[in-house]
Amino acid sequence: MSASVDTSATPILSAIGRSWWVLLLFGLAAIVFGALAIGRPVAAAVALAWTAGIMALVEGLISLFALFDKNTGISKGWLAFYAFASLLFAYMAITNPASMAGAMVLVLAAWLIVAGIFRIVFAIRVRKVIEGEWLLIVSGILAIILGVLFAMNPLAGMITSTLWIGVCALIYGGFQVFAAFKLRKLA
């Protein structure tokens, strides 16, 4: 028994197949970024902070322009606050991305500590309802330890985080390249 091909989907598959090179470019860019992040983690962290600043600048400007729109779905006060906070972060991240990269690691450290405490408290509260609550407690303890380590040495935390981002980018890029060549066969 032979498998039949849906002929109505063929033009769509062919069009997708012709765009294989877009996935290839995304994959190669991710691989290059991943390699740079692993090879130069501090520079990559600074670049990520600068990029976050650019994104915040765009968000801030859009929010600022939205203040003059009569049909916004949010109060003008919150919108103005968000625009101001976004533009302030953008200014700091664009003008001094190295300091902002370190500051973001400190925010991550604080979050890890709070998340670790939450996990431990949650595990204790649900210990009679679930099995393996000790795993939540262990993950909470590990999160607290990691948060404290990041807070004690933000540079090491920044490098570690950037290395993990680099590894993930390499894996993501590899999958994108693989998918691109699979899609190329559809063209």
Side-chain angles (χ1 to χ4, degrees), residues 7-121:
T7 56
S8 64
T10 304
I12 295 170
L13 292 176
S14 180
I16 292 171
R18 286 191 304 270
S19 301
W20 68 275
W21 60 273
V22 175
L23 279 180
L24 179 65
L25 287 178
F26 283 152
L28 293 175
I31 289 170
V32 168
F33 172 76
L36 290 174
I38 291 170
R40 298 184 47 129
V42 174
V46 170
L48 286 171
W50 184 84
T51 303
I54 296 296
M55 291 187 307
L57 176 64
V58 171
E59 284 277 326
L61 291 174
I62 290 171
S63 299
L64 192 63
F65 290 131
L67 281 171
F68 302 103
D69 186 2
K70 294 181 181 183
N71 297 324
T72 59
I74 191 168
S75 76
K76 300 285 187 184
W78 280 113
L79 196 56
F81 175 73
Y82 181 68
F84 174 75
S86 295
L87 292 172
L88 179 63
F89 175 80
Y91 173 76
M92 292 187 309
I94 292 170
T95 59
N96 196 350
S99 293
M100 287 308 294
M104 285 192 269
V105 169
L106 291 175
V107 170
L108 175 61
W111 175 78
L112 283 167
I113 292 168
V114 170
I117 293 168
F118 173 80
R119 287 182 193 144
I120 293 169
V121 170

Side-chain angles (χ1 to χ4, degrees), residues 95-174:
T95 59
N96 196 350
S99 293
M100 287 308 294
M104 285 192 269
V105 169
L106 291 175
V107 170
L108 175 61
W111 175 78
L112 283 167
I113 292 168
V114 170
I117 293 168
F118 173 80
R119 287 182 193 144
I120 293 169
V121 170
F122 178 75
I124 292 169
R125 290 205 172 181
V126 298
R127 71 182 178 276
K128 294 179 182 175
V129 182
I130 66 170
E131 290 182 29
E133 75 281 354
W134 66 273
L135 291 171
L136 282 171
I137 293 172
V138 169
S139 86
I141 292 169
L142 291 174
I144 292 170
I145 291 170
L146 186 60
V148 168
L149 290 173
F150 279 9
M152 288 173 47
N153 193 343
L155 180 61
M158 181 174 54
I159 291 170
T160 302
S161 300
T162 307
L163 287 172
W164 277 109
I165 290 169
V167 168
C168 290
L170 282 174
I171 294 168
Y172 170 79

